Amino acid sequence: MAVRIGARNTTGWKATVSVAMSNYIESGSIIAIATSLSLWQAEFRIGDLEVGLLASLSANAFGAALGAVLGGPLCDRYGRKFIYTYDLLLYMLGILLAVFAGSYGVLLVGFILTGIAVGAGVPASWTYIAEQAPADKRAAHVGTAQLAWSIGPMVGFALAIAAAPLGLLGSRLIFAHLFVVAAVVWWLRRGLPESVIWKDERAATGTATFLHGITQLFSRRKNLTAMLFLFGVYALWNTVAGQAGIFQPRVYAATGVTSVTEQYGLQILVWGCTVAATYFGFMRYADRVSRRVLFAIGAVLAIIAWAVLIYAPANLGTLLFFAVAWGMSSGIGAQAFYGLWTSELFATRYRASAQGVLFLGARVMVGLLSIWFPLLLADIGLRALGGLILGLLALSFLVGTIWAPRTQGKTLEAIEAERYGTVTTVTGTVRSADERTVHEAERRREQAGR
């Protein structure tokens, strides 16, 4: 990483990168599924509805939703390390089933298990990274998760092109590479420390019940408004992005690009631009410039990209413009800001539960549309779906731009004290954002990173 870390030891970045790999594994799974769906369809002689179920019950939608709503509360109850220690074991089991699947049923079970595993792991990773990061570099650290998420599809589509001559065997090998990555990441994570903020809060308040966080989320006005805001920012955008992630080759086919190699090449360009925009845009500037403005730029660019793809004449220039614009918008757009704002707007005692509930809602929306999207695309075409796609993106833009929170540069303890009137530390519950308390909490986190 070229991001400056100042006096902070590289240990913090090592932890960030190893935990952020949950996002590479998630996105890599989605792309492995996306690039293999037609091959599985031919192998098992299944229809578009069965294909939709594979997509909707996987890491792209319902499977991840179930994992998130279970993993979030478990993360708050037993710690961040508990989830990212065990979730990859379940993930590796699901991947092995996909690698050796000899029937549609086995493949479906494998996809569901991988979905549950990544659903549990991704909220835990975003929470852990934000809690361990310095206040003035929190976006840079959280952006590492977005960077890993973006590298996954870029690598996945490149592998799909390379493995295309092997047919279904090539797809099985792509799943196998995810198993190897997961095994290496699981090994690296074994020595990571627990989140200092979570340990402080647990020492002060004791162990919470499994449903405590979820109950608090729906019983306090501040939590409800924060969830509605983040749902508007992320779930609406992600309903579009979820279809693009797994069905984009079919979208390209609807515009006349029938060559699989060309479809995958366009996707490599999309994700290459996302990687660049994440690193050079979000990670470098979201701690330094107006987040409201940066979010708005990404959201508007997403709307323009899809409007051009849907309504402009289908030619090489249109497709290249879409790939670059959509890729750049994703790098500085809703998902990166969602990971950041969700970690900032909720108290430590139910921060991961909030991630889980919101991730559940977002993935359910993706899953519901994924069941019917291939059928709708085939029956009514991309242009007829254009109003839905652009409407969702426009609503996300309005919500994020109008209600963007002012949390930049503040410690999580200070934000919690401002929002809730208290902040929980190892010495007890403090009634205000006392400067001494905030600095002491930051000092302990700095020491944990050394």
Side-chain angles (χ1 to χ4, degrees), residues 244-433:
I246 204 161
F247 293 125
Q248 193 64 36
R250 296 185 179 219
V251 173
Y252 290 141
T255 66
V257 179
T258 57
S259 166
V260 172
T261 300
E262 291 177 1
Q263 292 172 358
Y264 292 173
L266 284 168
Q267 286 300 86
I268 292 172
L269 178 58
V270 168
W271 291 107
C273 291
T274 303
V275 169
T278 300
Y279 181 73
F280 293 106
F282 186 83
M283 292 177 67
R284 290 201 170 189
Y285 291 103
D287 287 310
R288 298 159 52 188
V289 304
S290 168
R291 290 177 177 176
R292 187 190 307 273
V293 172
L294 193 61
F295 173 86
I297 292 171
V300 168
L301 197 55
I303 296 170
I304 293 172
W306 278 95
V308 169
L309 180 67
I310 294 167
Y311 299 115
N315 54 45
L316 180 60
T318 296
L319 292 171
L320 289 177
F321 177 86
F322 169 80
V324 173
W326 176 240
M328 291 179 63
S329 73
S330 299
I332 57 173
Q335 181 161 283
F337 277 101
Y338 164 79
L340 181 62
W341 285 334
T342 307
S343 298
E344 293 177 337
L345 295 181
F346 297 97
T348 301
R349 55 192 175 275
Y350 40 77
R351 182 171 291 126
S353 295
Q355 292 262 16
V357 170
L358 287 163
F359 205 70
L360 166 71
R363 290 313 170 96
V364 165
M365 286 187 65
V366 171
L368 290 173
L369 187 55
S370 292
I371 294 174
W372 305 108
F373 191 82
L375 295 173
L376 291 171
L377 192 62
D379 291 344
I380 65 176
L382 180 61
R383 183 162 295 212
L385 284 170
L388 174 62
I389 291 171
L390 294 179
L392 291 169
L393 293 175
L395 286 173
S396 175
F397 157 72
L398 290 173
V399 172
T401 302
I402 295 171
W403 289 290
R406 297 181 179 180
T407 50
Q408 194 168 13
K410 301 175 183 178
T411 65
L412 294 180
E413 293 90 346
I415 297 168
E416 182 176 339
E418 288 178 3
R419 285 181 52 75
Y420 297 94
T422 62
V423 56
T424 304
T425 71
V426 73
T427 57
T429 301
V430 180
R431 288 292 167 188
S432 65

Side-chain angles (χ1 to χ4, degrees), residues 19 23 26 64-76 80 83 118-131 138 142 145 213-214 217-218 223 226-227 230-231 234-235 238 334-364 412 420:
V19 174
N23 293 267
E26 183 206 9
L66 177 60
V69 79
L70 293 174
L74 287 173
C75 189
D76 284 331
R80 293 28 174 152
I83 295 296
V118 299
V122 170
S125 72
W126 278 332
T127 299
Y128 180 87
I129 290 170
E131 290 180 346
R138 190 160 49 243
V142 172
I214 294 179
L217 290 175
F218 290 97
N223 292 333
M227 285 198 299
L230 289 161
F231 187 86
Y234 181 62
N238 192 59
Q335 181 161 283
F337 277 101
Y338 164 79
L340 181 62
W341 285 334
T342 307
S343 298
E344 293 177 337
L345 295 181
F346 297 97
T348 301
R349 55 192 175 275
Y350 40 77
R351 182 171 291 126
S353 295
Q355 292 262 16
V357 170
L358 287 163
F359 205 70
L360 166 71
R363 290 313 170 96
V364 165
L412 294 180
Y420 297 94

Side-chain angles (χ1 to χ4, degrees), residues 65-88:
L66 177 60
V69 79
L70 293 174
L74 287 173
C75 189
D76 284 331
R77 179 175 171 82
Y78 297 110
R80 293 28 174 152
K81 188 175 180 179
F82 173 83
I83 295 296
Y84 62 68
T85 297
Y86 296 108
D87 69 314
L88 289 183

